[in-house]
């Protein structure tokens, strides 16, 4: 039954997770005077968008730009954080390949200059050859698609290595339809024309990609402020407290079990549960359990994991870029952030903090290394790339992030649909939101939007299709005249679309 006003009903909502989605839901509920209890398994708020503080150094999980085309999300950011703390920062990022730095987004003339006359001639010849003799089926896979448009040499330089580092699989095993969405109709000829032709279309695009908002002390500052406001408005927030069971009876959710990091588990009554815990974890925690096909679908969801090594170096080794994509095949690092370029308030004492990002699988050789080994590897790679002088690194900190990327494989859509349909029919008061919460490659803005729409569905009886956020990109979005992308946060491409996609990767057939 929809609630018309807070006075009509004081149903209690439990929110699982204090990341952007969970805190947005709690903020909206508390603002309307509804009782809400947020439980966060970690000892800090912000989820993947938190700011890590180690030894006084502040750094992100990656770098978190605040950019959105969703007006209401933008407004909420500004309500949570005052303008003095919500900086507008310039964006700069380049691609490192064999000792050279290439502009990103790629500018063909800059690329050809960096390649030098010999390699440029070879790249153009390879492009011409690909046009004359394209792969037999350019739509067979992502590699064939790219080679048919750019030729082998440019493909190897600007697409292959980084894409494989991020997703941990050969580009030749990624489907071409992802490329079609991501790289749109970009050909080398179009890119060259775009680079040399003044004006037309470019200013709209560059205005979107060259500046973004960023909290003075990192993204965690936004979520710490949101958490304080939730509590001030009457909500409760408990850290170090994982929700380990969602209890149901007679088609209703009744309570959740909370397991604190130290202490005994306890139960909390709940009329609604808004969940940003990974969808697989949510399903596994439902008591009594859902039927086997639903449990199987949850177990079959896959993830790509991530770790970052933050290295403290003298300021002279900082670079103006927010981050540099590392396309060199000789090192495992995929991207390097300079947190001093994100906000000068993040660094101190004539030093800066560089975040080396590694895309991994939980339990693989990188994940299992000790922190000391990872710091040693990161220092060696930074020196190999020539970005610091040997011996210049002063300290290193490691952060591992399981389930950083929900994986799209050929089964994920069906798995999510099985879970979604079962929840809708059997436990409609349990509402998955956010990124891992919905197994959707959402950025913070779309994660927040799913929470906002969910709260409206609960309180106002609206019928928003929360699952269509970031599928139908225009859903509830205020688009700009450019309609162009701000670039991807997680990876490069010559993207012109929304840039929020991820490839659907193929994996071995599962047992029937
Ligand atoms: C490398 C990288 C770079 C990114 N860059 C950007 C960017 O530039 N801009 C952008 O907008 N987005 C970016 N994103 C995406 C952004 O981080 C996510 O969209 C956002 O954090 C998702 O918010 P969420 O609340 O859905 O989930 P999360 O951030 O994952 O938060 C979920 C929270 O729930 C808690 N939790 C989980 N299970 C339980 C449980 N059982 N009980 C209690 N608590 C639990 C977790 O500890 C966590 O705090 C990036 C992501 C990555 C990996």
């Amino acid at each position: 039954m929809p609630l018309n006003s807070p006075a009509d009903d004081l149903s209690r909502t439990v929110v699982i997770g204090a990341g952007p989605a969970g805190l947005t839901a709690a903020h909206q509920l508390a603002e309307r005077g509804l009782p809400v209890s947020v439980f966060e398994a970690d000892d800090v708020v912000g989820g993947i968008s938190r700011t890590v503080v180690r030894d006084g150094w502040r750094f992100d999980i990656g770098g978190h730009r605040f950019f959105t085309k969703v007006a209401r999300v933008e407004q909420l950011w500004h309500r949570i954080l005052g303008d003095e703390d919500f900086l507008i920062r310039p964006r700069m990022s380049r691609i490192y390949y064999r000792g050279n730095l290439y502009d990103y987004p790629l500018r063909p003339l800059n690329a050809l200059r960096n390649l030098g006359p010999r390699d440029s001639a070879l790249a153009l010849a390879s492009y011409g050859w690909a046009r004359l003799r394209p792969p037999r089926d350019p739509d067979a896979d992502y590699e064939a698609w790219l080679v048919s448009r750019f030729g082998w040499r440019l493909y190897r330089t600007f697409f292959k290595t980084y894409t494989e580092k991020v997703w941990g699989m050969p580009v030749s095993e990624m489907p071409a339809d992802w490329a079609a969405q991501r790289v749109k109709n970009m050909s080398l000829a179009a890119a060259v024309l775009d680079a040399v032709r003044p004006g037309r279309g470019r200013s709209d695009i560059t205005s979107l990609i060259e500046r973004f908002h960023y909290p003075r002390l990192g993204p965690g500052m936004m979520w710490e402020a949101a958490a304080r406001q939730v509590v001030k408005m009457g909500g409760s927030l408990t850290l170090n407290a994982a929700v380990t069971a969602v209890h149901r009876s007679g088609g209703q959710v009744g309570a959740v079990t909370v397991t604190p990091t130290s202490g005994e588990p306890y139960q909390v009554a709940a009329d609604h549960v808004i969940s940003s815990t990974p969808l697989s974890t949510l399903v596994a925690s439902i008591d009594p359990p859902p039927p086997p096909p639903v449990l199987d679908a949850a177990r079959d969801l896959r993830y790509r994991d991530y770790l970052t090594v933050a290295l403290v170096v003298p300021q002279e080794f900082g670079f103006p870029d927010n981050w540099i994509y590392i396309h060199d095949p000789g090192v495992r690092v995929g991207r390097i952030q300079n947190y001093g370029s994100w906000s000068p308030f993040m660094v101190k004492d004539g030093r800066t903090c560089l975040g080396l990002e590694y895309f991994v699988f939980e339990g693989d050789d990188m994940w299992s290394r000790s922190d000391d080994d990872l710091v040693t590897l990161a220092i060696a790679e930074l020196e190999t790339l020539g970005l610091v002088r040997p011996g210049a690194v002063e300290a290193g900190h490691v952060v591992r992030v399981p389930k950083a990327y929900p994986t799209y494989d050929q089964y994920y859509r069906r798995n999510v649909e099985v879970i979604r349909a079962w929840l809708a029919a059997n436990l409609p008061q349990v509402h998955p939101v956010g990124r891992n919460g919905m197994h959707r490659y959402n950025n913070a803005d779309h994660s927040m939007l799913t929470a906002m729409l969910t709260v409206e569905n609960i309180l106002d009886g609206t019928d928003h299709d929360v699952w269509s956020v970031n599928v139908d990109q225009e859903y509830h979005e205020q688009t700009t005249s450019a309609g162009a992308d701000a670039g991807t946060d997680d990876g490069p491409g010559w993207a012109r679309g929304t840039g929020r996609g991820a490839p659907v990767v193929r994996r071995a057939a599962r047992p029937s």
Side-chain angles (χ1 to χ4, degrees):
M1 192 180 69
L3 309 179
N4 295 323
S5 78
D8 288 340
D9 193 320
L10 284 180
S11 74
R12 172 163 295 277
T13 303
V14 162
V15 174
I16 308 180
L23 284 173
T24 299
H27 200 275
Q28 308 269 290
L29 284 159
E31 207 164 38
R32 292 178 65 172
L34 270 290
V36 55
S37 305
V38 185
F39 295 97
E40 168 54 54
D42 215 329
D43 59 359
V44 290
V45 299
I48 301 174
S49 304
R50 68 188 178 267
T51 298
V52 181
V53 185
R54 295 274 173 89
D55 201 16
W57 293 96
R58 310 180 74 91
F59 50 92
D60 301 17
I61 307 300
H64 274 71
R65 287 190 301 151
F66 284 68
F67 167 80
T68 187
K69 290 192 261 169
V70 186
R72 55 196 298 190
V73 166
E74 178 100 42
Q75 285 154 12
L76 183 58
W77 285 339
H78 285 276
R79 276 201 289 135
I80 294 173
L81 215 56
D83 284 351
E84 68 285 2
D85 285 328
F86 204 27
L87 312 179
I88 296 178
R89 298 295 299 159
R91 169 187 166 154
M92 178 171 174
S93 48
R94 286 177 291 175
I95 291 172
Y96 180 102
Y97 184 74
R98 297 204 193 284
N100 285 312
L101 286 163
Y102 295 78
D103 289 346
Y104 178 77
L106 286 169
R107 293 179 209 278
L109 293 184
N110 162 272
L112 296 177
R113 201 178 314 123
N114 265 329
L115 286 170
R118 181 179 165 277
D119 281 356
S120 292
L122 288 172
L124 287 173
S126 135
Y127 169 70
W129 182 250
R131 300 307 288 180
L132 283 173
R133 302 284 301 268
R136 202 170 303 145
D137 179 4
D139 291 329
D141 54 61
Y142 189 23
E143 181 173 272
W145 195 95
L146 286 166
V147 170
S148 70
R149 274 156 186 82
F150 300 100
W152 277 103
R153 283 197 160 247
L154 288 175
Y155 156 71
R156 273 200 299 264
T157 310
F158 295 119
F159 293 95
K160 181 176 163 58
T161 320
Y162 184 81
T163 310
E164 292 185 346
K165 282 181 186 178
V166 173
W167 296 105
M169 68 179 321
V171 179
S172 57
E173 288 177 23
M174 295 177 186
D177 54 358
W178 178 57
Q181 170 214 328
R182 193 174 174 84
V183 191
K184 283 277 170 81
N185 294 318
M186 199 74 160
S187 68
L188 184 68
V192 171
L193 266 180
D194 205 43
V196 295
R197 195 171 40 185
R200 241 185 110 225
R202 296 189 60 81
S203 58
D204 277 354
I205 296 167
T206 45
S207 66
L208 281 176
I209 61 182
E210 286 178 355
R211 281 155 21 118
F212 57 86
H213 275 101
Y214 189 72
R216 191 168 56 84
L217 295 175
M221 190 181 193
M222 174 71 72
W223 306 115
E224 285 154 23
R228 278 195 302 274
Q229 290 169 17
V230 166
V231 172
K232 199 168 168 199
M233 291 186 288
S236 81
L237 167 67
T238 312
L239 297 178
N240 296 307
V243 172
T244 47
V246 175
H247 305 285
R248 65 184 175 118
S249 112
Q252 296 279 326
V253 66
V256 299
T257 294
V258 177
T259 305
T261 309
S262 56
E264 291 300 307
Y266 55 93
Q267 287 205 353
V268 176
D271 297 323
H272 287 276
V273 174
I274 297 181
S275 168
S276 67
T277 196
L279 197 51
S280 50
T281 311
L282 171 71
V283 171
S285 73
I286 293 174
D287 168 49
V294 181
L295 293 173
D296 288 346
R299 276 188 218 110
D300 202 44
L301 292 174
R302 301 298 159 94
Y303 302 88
R304 181 82 167 138
D305 311 291
Y306 168 100
L307 68 84
T308 185
V309 184
L311 299 177
V312 176
V313 299
Q315 177 63 46
E316 63 184 284
F317 299 111
F319 36 80
D321 314 56
N322 308 96
W323 68 84
I324 296 177
Y325 296 108
I326 307 298
H327 282 217
D328 254 45
V331 290
R332 294 183 74 163
V333 61
R335 203 165 53 169
I336 304 180
Q337 306 281 340
N338 177 15
Y339 292 108
S341 298
W342 284 83
S343 165
F345 301 97
M346 304 267 281
V347 297
K348 54 181 184 175
D349 307 335
R351 294 174 177 80
T352 191
C353 182
L354 304 181
L356 281 75
E357 301 179 77
Y358 295 90
F359 306 97
V360 298
F361 287 113
E362 196 172 345
D364 72 7
D365 67 313
M366 287 291 287
W367 186 271
S368 312
R369 286 183 196 209
S370 69
D371 285 9
D372 284 350
D373 279 358
L374 286 169
V375 170
T376 304
L377 173 79
I379 293 173
E381 294 205 332
L382 207 54
E383 292 176 358
T384 301
L385 294 170
L387 293 177
V388 294
R389 155 173 38 80
V393 175
E394 297 174 13
H397 305 280
V398 176
V399 180
R400 291 175 181 74
V401 186
K403 300 187 172 58
Y405 298 88
T407 299
Y408 290 179
D409 57 33
Q410 68 269 46
Y411 309 115
Y412 96 95
R413 208 186 286 275
R414 171 146 173 71
N415 288 333
V416 170
E417 183 49 33
V418 166
I419 298 167
R420 193 189 69 78
W422 185 83
L423 284 174
N426 297 280
L427 215 46
Q429 311 82 9
V430 172
H431 312 269
V433 293
R435 180 171 168 110
N436 284 326
M438 303 179 79
H439 205 79
R440 184 64 56 72
Y441 195 69
N442 283 332
N443 267 355
D445 61 337
H446 284 137
S447 302
M448 292 171 66
L449 183 60
T450 60
M452 289 173 169
L453 299 179
T454 295
V455 169
E456 285 176 10
N457 283 349
I458 295 173
L459 295 189
D460 304 327
T462 50
D463 194 22
H464 299 299
D465 181 3
V466 177
W467 293 90
S468 71
V469 170
N470 196 12
V471 175
D472 172 4
Q473 286 291 328
E474 304 306 313
Y475 192 83
H476 281 230
E477 288 189 6
Q478 200 107 59
T479 49
T480 66
S481 60
D485 180 31
T488 63
D489 299 304
D490 299 350
W494 289 9
R496 282 296 185 78
T498 64
R500 303 279 174 95
V504 176
V505 297
R506 284 179 208 136
R507 65 180 163 94
R510 59 184 179 182
S512 56

